[in-house]
Amino acid sequence: MFASLLRGSELADIQEKVLEGRRLGFEDGMRLYASSDLTAIGTMANIVRERKNGSLAYYVRNQHINYTNICNKFCKFCSFYSLPRDPSAYTLTPEQVQDRVREYLHLPITEIHMVAGINPRLPYRYYLDILRAVKEVRPDVHIKAYTMVELAEICRQAKKPLEEVLPQLMEAGLDSLPGGGAEVFSDRVHRELFPLKQNGDEWLAMARAAHRLGLPSNATLLYGHIEEPEEKVDHLLRLRDLQDETGGFHCYIPLEFHPEKTDLEGLPAATGDDNLKEIAIGRLMLDNFDHIKAFWVMISPQISQAALWYGADDIDGTVMEYEITRDAVTDTRQSLTHSQLMDLIREAGREPVERDNRYRILSRS
Ligand code: SF4
C-alpha cells in the first residue's frame, strides 16, 4: 500500500529502507535534512510512528518546578538564567518546593519534572532535601529531575562520583532523568555556545552510568541556532548507539531554540516546517526509540497537533508553571487542562492516552 507513495521522489530509496524496517545511516540522515520534501519525510515518519504506536497519542499529567534560576554557566542560547544579584533571581527552599506541590494537590498529577540553573551556593544536601520534600507531600508521584549539567554540579558539591551520588538521589526519591543539557554533541557548538558545561562525550558517559544503575532518561537535541545538519545527524546516531547499548532512553525530544532575550537574539526563529522536520527525522533515525515527543510548550499546541502525523506519539503534558521559556515566549504560565489536552489530541485525529513515566497506560478515552 505504501510502496508507491514516494515513487519518483528523491527519497524513494530511503522509503524502501523504512518500509523494510532497515536502519538509516549517516548519508540518509544528511539527505533527509537536505530535502525540502517535508511531505515525503513526514509520510515516512508516520509509517514508523504508526508501526510502533498505532494511532495512540500519549500525554502525562505533570507539574514543572524550576527550583532556581541562578546559574553560572552562561549558555548563549539561554533566556532563563539570572545572576545572584538580579532582582529576578530566586531559589526555592525545600518548604517552598513543597508549597508549589501543594498548590496542585487537587489535580491527579503523576509526574513532577524538576530542573533548574546551576547555583553554586546550593550544597549537596539541598538536592536530596528537595526530592524528599516533594515525596513528603505527594508520596506516589514520579520525580523526573536533574539534567546532566545539574548532576555534574551535584557530584561537585558532594565530592563524590556519579556512581555514588545517583543511588543516594534515588533513595531520596529520584525516579528518572529528563535528559536535558545535551544540546548538540558537537565540540564546535560546545565551544561557541556552552563551554562551561559538559560536552557531548561527558553527557553520554553520564547517561550511560545512569542507565546502568537502572535510572532511565530521555534524550534531547536543541535545534535552530548555529548547528549544522551533519552535527545533528551525528548527535542522533550517537544517541542511537547508546540506546543499542543500554536501552535506557524512554523517548527523544527535539527542543526548539527560542532566540528572544538570549545572546543569539539576531538569529531567525525556527519555522513550523523546521519543527515538523526535526520531529520526523528524529523518528526516522532513532529506530530503537519507542517514543518521540512533541513538546507543545516550545513548538505551540498547533504545531504539536500536526506533529502527531509527522512521527510524534507523545505531546508531553499539562505542564503547570514551566519557567524556562516563559519570559522569552509568552511571559505567562504555560499549562493546558486535562480536557484541553485531550481535545487537542482528538482534534488532530489521534487517540489520547494518559501514560505514566514508563509509558504504561493509565487511562484511555
Ligand atoms: S541552559 Fe541551563 S546551564 Fe545553561 S545558562 Fe541556562 S540554566 Fe544555566
Side-chain angles (χ1 to χ4, degrees), residues 9-21:
S9 159
E10 58 183 6
L11 302 175
D13 59 320
I14 295 182
Q15 186 205 25
E16 285 305 311
K17 286 190 184 179
V18 170
L19 290 173
E20 291 167 13

Side-chain angles (χ1 to χ4, degrees), residues 69-81 116-118 149 183 194 197 324:
N69 65 351
I70 293 174
C71 190
N72 62 7
K73 299 300 177 198
F74 311 113
C75 303
K76 288 189 180 162
F77 49 74
C78 182
S79 63
F80 170 70
Y81 73 85
I118 307 301
V149 196
E183 323 310 358
F194 56 104
K197 63 188 191 191
I324 307 284

Side-chain angles (χ1 to χ4, degrees), residues 156-167:
R156 195 182 73 80
Q157 292 289 347
K159 299 186 176 59
K160 292 176 186 166
L162 190 65
E163 288 72 11
E164 278 183 49
V165 162
L166 282 178

Side-chain angles (χ1 to χ4, degrees), residues 22-216:
R22 281 192 284 144
R23 183 162 265 196
L24 303 186
F26 183 85
E27 285 308 323
D28 297 320
M30 289 299 292
R31 284 175 56 206
L32 290 170
Y33 275 113
S35 171
S36 54
D37 194 348
L38 180 61
T39 305
I41 297 169
T43 302
M44 291 188 281
N46 193 50
I47 290 168
V48 180
R49 181 250 197 263
E50 293 191 348
R51 188 188 291 150
K52 284 184 181 279
N53 293 293
S55 198
L56 303 183
Y58 294 92
Y59 68 91
V60 64
R61 296 202 227 200
N62 58 355
Q63 176 182 0
H64 281 235
I65 298 175
N66 304 125
Y67 55 86
T68 182
N69 65 351
I70 293 174
C71 190
N72 62 7
K73 299 300 177 198
F74 311 113
C75 303
K76 288 189 180 162
F77 49 74
C78 182
S79 63
F80 170 70
Y81 73 85
S82 289
L83 300 176
R85 288 194 186 153
D86 288 346
S88 56
Y90 73 86
T91 298
L92 302 180
T93 63
E95 293 71 30
Q96 289 171 320
V97 168
Q98 284 191 323
D99 289 343
R100 292 284 179 97
V101 177
R102 279 198 196 95
E103 217 180 307
Y104 297 106
L105 263 187
H106 59 291
L107 297 176
I109 283 166
T110 60
E111 178 188 287
I112 300 243
H113 184 139
M114 208 156 54
V115 295
I118 307 301
N119 180 347
R121 296 224 173 125
L122 296 176
Y124 179 42
R125 188 182 69 249
Y126 174 87
Y127 296 95
L128 297 165
D129 285 350
I130 58 173
L131 293 170
R132 293 190 190 109
V134 170
K135 289 276 170 148
E136 214 175 281
V137 176
R138 265 201 125 118
D140 297 331
V141 86
H142 179 107
I143 302 182
K144 181 166 69 180
Y146 305 142
T147 62
M148 302 308 176
V149 196
E150 289 161 278
L151 285 178
E153 172 65 10
I154 295 170
C155 291
R156 195 182 73 80
Q157 292 289 347
K159 299 186 176 59
K160 292 176 186 166
L162 190 65
E163 288 72 11
E164 278 183 49
V165 162
L166 282 178
Q168 292 176 351
L169 293 171
M170 291 160 81
E171 175 74 27
L174 180 66
D175 295 303
S176 70
L177 304 176
E183 323 310 358
V184 183
F185 301 147
S186 148
D187 289 338
R188 179 190 71 88
V189 177
H190 178 248
R191 267 194 311 276
E192 289 192 33
L193 299 190
F194 56 104
L196 297 183
K197 63 188 191 191
Q198 79 270 48
N199 65 18
D201 288 341
E202 289 161 332
W203 190 97
L204 288 162
M206 293 175 87
R208 180 180 292 108
H211 295 173
R212 283 190 177 147
L213 286 166
L215 197 60

Side-chain angles (χ1 to χ4, degrees), residues 283-301:
R283 178 62 287 167
L284 288 167
M285 298 303 293
L286 298 174
D287 58 355
N288 53 2
F289 277 62
D290 288 336
H291 304 285
I292 306 291
K293 184 183 290 187
F295 189 29
W296 67 261
V297 172
M298 287 215 164
I299 63 174
S300 84

